[in-house]
Amino acid sequence: MTARRPLIAGNWKMFKTGAEAVEFARRFVPLVAGAGDRDLMIAPAFTALEALAGELKGTPVALGAQNLHWELEGPFTGEISPRMLAAAGCRYVIIGHSERRQHFGETNESVARRTRAALQAGLAPILCVGETETERNAGGTFSVLDKHVRKGLKNFVANELGALVIAYEPVWAIGTGRTATRDQAQEAHAFIRSLVSNLFNAELAGAVRILYGGSVKPENISELMAMPDIDGALVGGASLNPDSFAKIALFA
Ligand code: 13P
């Protein structure tokens, strides 16, 4: 029913060396050879980007990064620029993951700067949003999502956001085995899509892909993907194993 092309993305977080990434790709790529009707992406650690790029070249699996700085270059020790990511073969970059918000001082303001930098470098930003368990229990889910989206996309106009992807990742579902129910996820996705429509326009809202993340597994991907506003998944733990990630990628 939906014209949006599904995107199944793996976030490897701080796992896998370059050699381990290559070994993964050699097993994974043949398993997903038939997945021509969907987009696939893997975001390894920075140190594995070049090695994985070599393995993924000419395959349907795209490369992504897990973060970027907003300047193209400069005296920013320890940072990686959008230009470097594009040159390393990245097509996507994850921005504002809850682990970065929680442990590394990421704010909605820095998220907006990184999103702009990604788009300017031709990278598709995957903007991560989502509430903590405390926020959900206090009835604050929609207001958190509203802030994350509104402030993360502050000062943009609709025609700058054609490549934007949004990932709804409830913090309480990440790495816990407690997936949001398909109804909880659908409700959040529908809220985000209507917010994009209000902030920008209906055309962008209809086109933007909204991924669900948080304990996605081969066993729950199909029921999530059956929901009208769930356009893909951002997968952590289950993307580290080629067989389980291939099962997710090949969801029916
Ligand atoms: P898990 O799939 O391990 O719950 O992680 C989700 C996530 O944080 C993806 O970005």
Side-chain angles (χ1 to χ4, degrees):
M1 200 190 99
T2 164
R4 294 181 294 271
R5 192 174 158 86
L7 168 60
I8 303 293
N11 172 10
W12 280 358
K13 309 191 179 184
M14 199 171 72
F15 293 93
K16 292 196 196 294
T17 63
E20 288 162 350
V22 167
E23 191 190 326
F24 176 100
R26 289 186 181 161
R27 289 178 54 195
F28 178 71
V29 168
L31 296 176
V32 295
D37 60 343
R38 56 202 67 187
D39 290 335
L40 305 177
M41 183 278 265
I42 298 171
F46 290 130
T47 49
L49 281 173
E50 300 265 16
L52 192 56
E55 291 298 313
L56 299 184
K57 206 170 175 171
T59 79
V61 187
L63 190 67
Q66 299 175 19
N67 186 27
L68 83 174
H69 194 263
W70 47 81
E71 297 288 344
L72 285 181
E73 58 183 18
F76 300 102
T77 302
E79 294 298 312
I80 307 282
S81 85
R83 203 173 139 248
M84 293 166 182
L85 295 182
C90 288
R91 294 239 315 269
Y92 296 88
V93 58
I94 298 168
I95 296 177
H97 191 280
S98 62
E99 287 153 13
R100 296 213 60 82
R101 295 179 191 257
Q102 195 180 336
H103 304 301
F104 303 103
E106 188 81 76
T107 63
N108 291 318
E109 290 67 36
S110 57
V111 163
R113 296 179 84 170
R114 293 185 211 277
T115 301
R116 183 165 297 285
L119 288 164
Q120 279 171 349
L123 299 165
I126 302 181
L127 170 59
C128 298
V129 303
E131 81 288 357
T132 63
E133 182 156 41
T134 312
E135 289 163 341
R136 174 167 282 265
N137 290 343
T141 297
F142 291 155
S143 93
V144 170
L145 296 179
D146 182 277
K147 265 199 212 91
H148 284 174
V149 173
R150 190 182 295 271
K151 294 190 172 178
L153 298 178
K154 196 172 168 195
N155 297 329
F156 283 93
V157 295
N159 68 11
E160 294 172 314
L161 295 173
L164 175 71
V165 177
I166 297 176
Y168 169 60
E169 298 209 318
V171 178
W172 48 272
I174 296 177
T176 59
R178 282 175 59 203
T179 322
T181 65
R182 59 187 190 167
D183 294 326
Q184 284 172 324
Q186 166 58 25
E187 179 185 50
H189 284 226
F191 175 84
I192 293 166
R193 199 177 302 286
S194 74
L195 182 59
V196 171
S197 183
N198 294 338
L199 293 173
F200 300 99
N201 59 43
E203 194 188 339
L204 180 65
V208 69
R209 290 185 290 185
I210 307 179
L211 315 183
Y212 167 78
S215 298
V216 173
K217 306 182 249 302
E219 297 75 37
N220 57 29
I221 184 68
S222 297
E223 66 173 54
L224 289 162
M225 291 303 297
M227 302 311 276
D229 288 297
I230 300 182
D231 306 315
L234 184 54
V235 187
S239 74
L240 294 169
N241 175 289
D243 297 313
S244 68
F245 194 41
K247 282 189 190 133
I248 293 170
L250 297 172
F251 76 89

PDB file of all heavy atoms in Angstrom, residues 11 13 216 235-241 244:
ATOM      1  N   ASN A  11      22.880  -0.975  13.026  1.00  0.00           N
ATOM      2  CA  ASN A  11      23.760  -0.087  13.795  1.00  0.00           C
ATOM      3  C   ASN A  11      24.661  -0.986  14.633  1.00  0.00           C
ATOM      4  O   ASN A  11      24.198  -1.583  15.609  1.00  0.00           O
ATOM      5  CB  ASN A  11      22.907   0.832  14.679  1.00  0.00           C
ATOM      6  CG  ASN A  11      23.758   1.642  15.648  1.00  0.00           C
ATOM      7  OD1 ASN A  11      24.985   1.671  15.550  1.00  0.00           O
ATOM      8  ND2 ASN A  11      23.096   2.298  16.589  1.00  0.00           N
ATOM      9  N   LYS A  13      27.078  -0.136  16.527  1.00  0.00           N
ATOM     10  CA  LYS A  13      27.561   0.470  17.776  1.00  0.00           C
ATOM     11  C   LYS A  13      29.070   0.217  17.908  1.00  0.00           C
ATOM     12  O   LYS A  13      29.780   0.207  16.912  1.00  0.00           O
ATOM     13  CB  LYS A  13      26.744  -0.060  18.966  1.00  0.00           C
ATOM     14  CG  LYS A  13      25.236   0.085  18.713  1.00  0.00           C
ATOM     15  CD  LYS A  13      24.375  -0.159  19.915  1.00  0.00           C
ATOM     16  CE  LYS A  13      22.909   0.053  19.529  1.00  0.00           C
ATOM     17  NZ  LYS A  13      21.992  -0.073  20.649  1.00  0.00           N
ATOM     18  N   VAL A 216      14.623  -5.230  17.708  1.00  0.00           N
ATOM     19  CA  VAL A 216      14.094  -5.870  16.490  1.00  0.00           C
ATOM     20  C   VAL A 216      14.828  -7.190  16.277  1.00  0.00           C
ATOM     21  O   VAL A 216      16.053  -7.265  16.420  1.00  0.00           O
ATOM     22  CB  VAL A 216      14.270  -4.950  15.253  1.00  0.00           C
ATOM     23  CG1 VAL A 216      13.884  -5.688  13.979  1.00  0.00           C
ATOM     24  CG2 VAL A 216      13.444  -3.684  15.411  1.00  0.00           C
ATOM     25  N   VAL A 235      18.480  -1.700  13.502  1.00  0.00           N
ATOM     26  CA  VAL A 235      18.706  -2.917  14.284  1.00  0.00           C
ATOM     27  C   VAL A 235      20.069  -2.868  14.949  1.00  0.00           C
ATOM     28  O   VAL A 235      21.078  -2.644  14.267  1.00  0.00           O
ATOM     29  CB  VAL A 235      18.631  -4.153  13.346  1.00  0.00           C
ATOM     30  CG1 VAL A 235      18.686  -5.435  14.166  1.00  0.00           C
ATOM     31  CG2 VAL A 235      17.379  -4.111  12.475  1.00  0.00           C
ATOM     32  N   GLY A 236      20.109  -3.094  16.256  1.00  0.00           N
ATOM     33  CA  GLY A 236      21.380  -3.142  16.969  1.00  0.00           C
ATOM     34  C   GLY A 236      21.879  -4.567  17.072  1.00  0.00           C
ATOM     35  O   GLY A 236      22.436  -5.128  16.124  1.00  0.00           O
ATOM     36  N   GLY A 237      21.658  -5.185  18.233  1.00  0.00           N
ATOM     37  CA  GLY A 237      22.214  -6.504  18.528  1.00  0.00           C
ATOM     38  C   GLY A 237      22.017  -7.549  17.431  1.00  0.00           C
ATOM     39  O   GLY A 237      22.965  -8.264  17.063  1.00  0.00           O
ATOM     40  N   ALA A 238      20.819  -7.628  16.878  1.00  0.00           N
ATOM     41  CA  ALA A 238      20.535  -8.674  15.894  1.00  0.00           C
ATOM     42  C   ALA A 238      21.189  -8.402  14.533  1.00  0.00           C
ATOM     43  O   ALA A 238      21.148  -9.250  13.644  1.00  0.00           O
ATOM     44  CB  ALA A 238      19.029  -8.852  15.730  1.00  0.00           C
ATOM     45  N   SER A 239      21.812  -7.218  14.373  1.00  0.00           N
ATOM     46  CA  SER A 239      22.505  -6.955  13.100  1.00  0.00           C
ATOM     47  C   SER A 239      23.952  -7.427  13.144  1.00  0.00           C
ATOM     48  O   SER A 239      24.669  -7.356  12.142  1.00  0.00           O
ATOM     49  CB  SER A 239      22.460  -5.453  12.760  1.00  0.00           C
ATOM     50  OG  SER A 239      23.342  -4.714  13.588  1.00  0.00           O
ATOM     51  N   LEU A 240      24.395  -7.912  14.304  1.00  0.00           N
ATOM     52  CA  LEU A 240      25.805  -8.316  14.433  1.00  0.00           C
ATOM     53  C   LEU A 240      26.053  -9.725  13.924  1.00  0.00           C
ATOM     54  O   LEU A 240      27.195 -10.117  13.703  1.00  0.00           O
ATOM     55  CB  LEU A 240      26.231  -8.223  15.906  1.00  0.00           C
ATOM     56  CG  LEU A 240      26.254  -6.802  16.482  1.00  0.00           C
ATOM     57  CD1 LEU A 240      26.434  -6.843  18.000  1.00  0.00           C
ATOM     58  CD2 LEU A 240      27.357  -5.972  15.832  1.00  0.00           C
ATOM     59  N   ASN A 241      24.989 -10.467  13.743  1.00  0.00           N
ATOM     60  CA  ASN A 241      25.109 -11.840  13.248  1.00  0.00           C
ATOM     61  C   ASN A 241      24.548 -11.885  11.820  1.00  0.00           C
ATOM     62  O   ASN A 241      23.419 -11.455  11.591  1.00  0.00           O
ATOM     63  CB  ASN A 241      24.305 -12.761  14.178  1.00  0.00           C
ATOM     64  CG  ASN A 241      24.269 -14.175  13.663  1.00  0.00           C
ATOM     65  OD1 ASN A 241      23.608 -14.465  12.664  1.00  0.00           O
ATOM     66  ND2 ASN A 241      24.991 -15.059  14.316  1.00  0.00           N
ATOM     67  N   SER A 244      21.038 -13.708  11.445  1.00  0.00           N
ATOM     68  CA  SER A 244      19.850 -13.041  11.991  1.00  0.00           C
ATOM     69  C   SER A 244      19.587 -11.735  11.253  1.00  0.00           C
ATOM     70  O   SER A 244      18.430 -11.390  10.981  1.00  0.00           O
ATOM     71  CB  SER A 244      19.946 -12.842  13.507  1.00  0.00           C
ATOM     72  OG  SER A 244      20.943 -11.926  13.830  1.00  0.00           O
TER      73      SER A 244
END
